[in-house]
Each structure stands twice: as structure tokens, then as C-alpha cells.
Amino acid sequence: MNRKKIGVLTFHKSYNYGAFMQCYSFVLRLKRDFPETDIEVIDYSSKKSLDGYQEYLGKLKEKEAKRISIRNKEFENDWKYLPLSKSSIVGDDQEQFYKEFGNRYDIIIVGSDAVFNWNRIKLPNVYFLNGEHNAKKLSYAASCHGLDYRDMSDETKIYLKNALKDFSYIGVRDTSTEDLIGMVDEKLSFHHNCDPTTFLDVDALPVDIESLKEKLQSRGVDFSKKLIGLMAGNHIGREIKKRYGKQMQIIALYEPNKYADVFLYDLSPLEWAKVFSFFDIVVTHYFHGTMLALRNLKPVISIEMKNSYTDKYTTKLEDLLTRLKLTEFYYVWDRNRMSFLDKALMKLGMKSDQIFWREVLKNMDYYLENPPKNRIRLALENEEKNYQSFYISLRECINVE
């Protein structure tokens, strides 16, 4: 039997910690489970997506732009850990993609991450693989999170239906994407998959723990104190600082926070995944910030800001923590119920939403003293079972001559 070639099509170069880590973890799992195949990450990026990122960078102040430039170099250094295809394309021309990659692989896997969200790159796009090529098509933990699809046109539904009916397996990550597939065609079969970081082995990461610890100490991290990892805005950082600022150290990740004691802006993706192991608790509004806290068996306070999207759709954070049966880590902050004056005073630091924060801080106090490591471990082990249906389908595709 000839060795089958598998291409993984995802967001692997988006300078986003979660995007890199889901790709890294997924490819490692595929290589472990299917050693008789050749597996590559298809080195494709959407030009529209990259143009949007460059536009964002252009609006930043000099200090922040410099920090992000340093961090992006750390990302580029870690790309060597991904088995990238020799050919690389930046563009939005489907024909160019199919000409370069369409006949190179026996199987193409789309996902994971928000590859089914077409807000920025529009339709048609490469990620739905709606074109002439011979590869078997599967998706793994694909998501449309952030997409308002309830009013999509009949033309869009037809495009998606024609694309997805050619998939041998449709794996999605969350309830919103399940609903999208059902709206396109209720006859389409789909499966829930766990995010690849669910099965990431953080102890096996190619990161020297002592070197990382020295790096953190050089940035000002004090390991004699309890540490709070923070991936959230100033409105959240302010409340954490008021409660814990005197006895604990607050460490900001990914985005600056003026209430943090240290901002670790220059971590590589692999260092970022490992740094959660040093924290006693994590506060975040990010999906993969939540995932990596849990993967390192740390309690996490995941705060969702109520808005028009959360009113209409089940968010990825709510979906994740509900599936894991860890809803005590999930909080929705509805600032819209406050008066205009109260919101203005809160922005100035002169008022606090005591009703919301009373419960959050009470639970933080509890989990700092009683981290539920076994519950987290069991929840992740149970969620990992949602990889199995994909494994079976991919094995069948590999075995077909």
C-alpha cells in the first residue's frame, strides 16, 4: 500500500496563540495515530485575513506595535515545529489553491478553529474546498464562532450545501456550528469534536522549564507569591487588582493590562502553553486561554461580556464549559443592565458591579484554596472521547485503495 498524504488546512500562521496550539496539537495526534501516512500543514493563508491584520497593526501606538513585532518573531521561530508544506500561498484565489494543492494530497482535513467563519474572507473561500480535486475531504472541530448566519441567503446555503455534501466526515467544535450545518441542509450528518488542545500533552512540550522560569523571573515574576494569570481587559483587571493586588502577583498574557504587575508580551506559542503551569488561577475571556488553563489543571474564571451576539447564539466559551460540566467556571457579565452614569463611573474606577463580582471573587477565593484538579482531568478525558468518531472515519479513508 502506498503511503497516503494528508494535508491539514487551518489557521496556523495567524499570530494567535490558540490558533498555533490547536494546529500543533492536532498534527502531533495525527502523526501518533497514523504513522503510516505523510502529514503536512498546508502552508496557505488568506490575503484578506492578513491584510486585515496589517491594518490592525497600523493603528497601534509605537510601543504596542514594537511589542507585537517581538512576539510575532517568537511565533515565526516556533513555525519550525509544524510540518509545513514546501509550497506556500498567500491569496484568495481558489483556482490558484487547487492548482498548487488540489492533487497533492489523498486526504485534506479542514480545521480546527473558526475555519467556517467567512466574515472577513467572504465566500467563496478555500476552507470549504468547493472545487475540482480528487482528495477525500474531512473537517475536524471546525467552527463558525463569531458569524451571524441566521439570515444567510439561499445562494449562500446552496454554496455551503454543495461544498459540505462532498465531505466524507463533518466534524464541528460547537453548538453554533451544528446549528449552521442544520440550516444549510438538515440531511447533512455531523459530529462533535473536542478542540485539539484537549489532548495536548503539556508535559511533553519542547520547552525547557528552568529556562522559561528564568525568563519569567527576568521579566519580574515573583515565584514566592501566588500568581494569577490574566488574559482580559482593564475592566476585569481592575477588579482582580482591588481584591488580590496586595498579596498576589497578576501576570498579563497576550494583551496588556494596566492593572497587571507583569506583562509577558514576548512568549512563544509553546512557552505560552506551558506558562499556565506556574499560575494558581487564570482569569480570561478567551477560549484557548480557558483551554490551556484547564489543560494545565488550573482553575479558570471565564468571563463572557453580554452583547448582541451572546443574546442570539451559544458562544464557544459557554458551549465548552457546559460540555465539560464545569459551568461554575463560566460567568456572563451584563453591563447593559447598569445605568449610563454607573457605567461611566465604573470606567473611571469609581464604581464596581458588586452583584456580579461578589460571586466571581467568592469562587476565586474558594478555588485558590481548593483547586479541583481531578474534576478538570476527568472532564478533559471525557471530552477527548469526541475525537474517536473522526479517528474511525479517517482510518477508513486511509484504508481505501
Side-chain angles (χ1 to χ4, degrees):
M1 181 184 296
N2 293 328
R3 290 177 68 87
K4 294 289 178 71
K5 292 202 69 173
I6 299 175
V8 176
L9 180 62
T10 186
F11 299 151
H12 62 291
K13 282 188 174 179
S14 62
Y15 296 108
N16 175 287
Y17 285 124
F20 178 94
M21 291 310 305
Q22 61 83 18
C23 179
Y24 173 85
S25 183
F26 186 46
V27 170
L28 279 186
R29 183 62 179 261
L30 292 177
K31 283 180 170 289
R32 189 193 82 180
D33 290 349
F34 305 98
E36 75 279 16
T37 66
D38 295 322
I39 297 167
E40 291 181 346
V41 176
I42 301 175
D43 199 4
Y44 165 80
S45 299
S46 163
K47 186 175 185 303
K48 289 177 183 176
S49 183
L50 290 178
D51 286 348
Y53 182 65
Q54 291 301 321
E55 182 180 349
Y56 158 75
L57 291 179
K59 295 177 181 179
L60 296 176
K61 294 180 179 179
E62 183 178 356
K63 183 178 181 180
E64 185 58 22
K66 184 176 180 180
R67 285 174 170 171
I68 289 180
S69 177
I70 293 171
R71 185 178 71 206
N72 286 353
K73 289 178 181 177
E74 296 288 343
F75 273 81
E76 291 161 11
N77 288 335
D78 272 4
W79 287 347
K80 64 178 176 287
Y81 293 104
L82 300 177
L84 299 178
S85 61
K86 292 181 180 179
S87 298
S88 178
I89 292 178
V90 175
D92 294 292
D93 185 341
Q94 291 184 92
E95 292 305 317
Q96 180 190 17
F97 176 87
Y98 297 138
K99 182 178 179 181
E100 186 64 44
F101 296 115
N103 295 312
R104 182 172 298 185
Y105 302 102
D106 300 292
I107 300 165
I108 296 179
I109 304 168
V110 182
S112 68
D113 220 339
V115 288
F116 284 177
N117 181 331
W118 61 84
N119 270 338
R120 176 166 288 170
I121 60 178
K122 309 303 178 187
L123 293 175
N125 70 58
V126 164
Y127 295 99
F128 287 97
L129 295 178
N130 193 352
E132 296 295 328
H133 49 83
N134 299 319
K136 292 279 188 181
K137 302 178 236 181
L138 300 86
S139 72
Y140 182 84
S143 175
C144 69
H145 179 77
L147 179 72
D148 188 355
Y149 55 80
R150 293 277 169 85
D151 298 321
M152 63 180 164
S153 66
D154 290 339
E155 181 182 6
T156 295
K157 289 180 182 179
I158 292 170
Y159 170 81
L160 296 176
K161 179 179 178 179
N162 288 336
L164 294 172
K165 68 182 177 61
D166 287 339
F167 276 63
S168 300
Y169 175 95
I170 301 173
V172 300
R173 190 178 68 186
D174 44 56
T175 300
S176 291
T177 314
E178 292 175 3
D179 292 343
L180 169 66
I181 304 297
M183 285 186 65
V184 169
D185 185 350
E186 62 183 14
K187 295 180 181 179
L188 287 170
S189 176
F190 58 82
H191 305 262
H192 167 68
N193 301 141
C194 61
D195 186 87
T197 56
T198 304
F199 43 73
L200 176 68
D201 184 353
V202 291
D203 293 328
L205 292 172
V207 176
D208 183 83
I209 194 70
E210 290 303 318
S211 295
L212 178 57
K213 191 171 183 179
E214 289 176 8
K215 180 175 181 176
L216 300 188
Q217 288 174 321
S218 72
R219 304 299 187 271
V221 176
D222 183 356
F223 287 98
S224 68
K225 292 185 174 182
K226 285 194 172 184
L227 304 177
I228 299 175
L230 180 65
M231 288 183 67
N234 291 329
H235 54 296
I236 292 174
R238 180 191 305 117
E239 302 299 330
I240 303 303
K241 184 73 170 182
K242 285 196 309 188
R243 179 59 166 262
Y244 301 106
K246 291 183 179 180
Q247 68 268 37
M248 301 181 193
Q249 198 174 39
I250 302 170
I251 314 299
L253 304 173
Y254 188 62
E255 61 177 300
N257 193 298
K258 67 180 182 180
Y259 297 98
D261 300 296
V262 177
F263 176 30
L264 299 175
Y265 62 87
D266 59 345
L267 297 178
S268 73
L270 296 173
E271 289 175 332
W272 175 82
K274 190 66 177 177
V275 79
F276 288 87
S277 66
F278 294 119
F279 300 142
D280 294 279
I281 198 167
V282 174
V283 181
T284 185
H285 52 223
Y286 287 98
F287 177 87
H288 281 110
T290 298
M291 278 302 310
L292 267 297
L294 296 174
R295 189 60 269 175
N296 282 275
L297 303 180
K298 302 299 179 178
V300 58
I301 302 297
S302 295
I303 299 176
E304 194 105 70
M305 304 307 298
K306 185 176 175 62
N307 54 41
S308 59
Y309 186 84
T310 64
D311 288 339
K312 198 171 182 179
Y313 298 98
T314 300
T315 67
K316 55 184 177 180
L317 271 179
E318 180 183 5
D319 180 81
L320 170 69
L321 292 170
T322 300
R323 290 183 193 274
L324 293 177
K325 296 182 172 59
L326 295 173
T327 52
E328 67 270 30
F329 292 157
Y330 178 70
Y331 302 86
V332 179
W333 190 1
D334 182 10
R335 294 194 293 177
N336 293 326
R337 63 181 167 73
M338 303 178 69
S339 69
F340 177 82
L341 177 60
D342 284 346
K343 285 192 283 188
L345 290 173
M346 188 168 62
K347 190 172 183 179
L348 294 170
M350 299 170 65
K351 188 176 181 67
S352 175
D353 186 350
Q354 294 183 5
I355 295 175
F356 174 77
W357 283 103
R358 186 182 300 119
E359 180 183 8
V360 173
L361 296 173
K362 179 183 74 173
N363 287 338
M364 280 190 69
D365 288 344
Y366 177 80
Y367 289 122
L368 279 163
E369 296 301 322
N370 305 279
K373 290 186 177 182
N374 286 334
R375 278 200 63 217
I376 294 171
R377 183 184 293 107
L378 290 172
L380 293 175
E381 288 175 357
N382 190 57
E383 175 67 358
E384 187 177 343
K385 296 175 184 176
N386 291 302
Y387 168 80
Q388 189 63 22
S389 66
F390 170 81
Y391 172 88
I392 293 170
S393 184
L394 181 54
R395 173 59 66 195
E396 290 173 350
C397 290
I398 291 170
N399 290 341
V400 171
E401 281 296 327

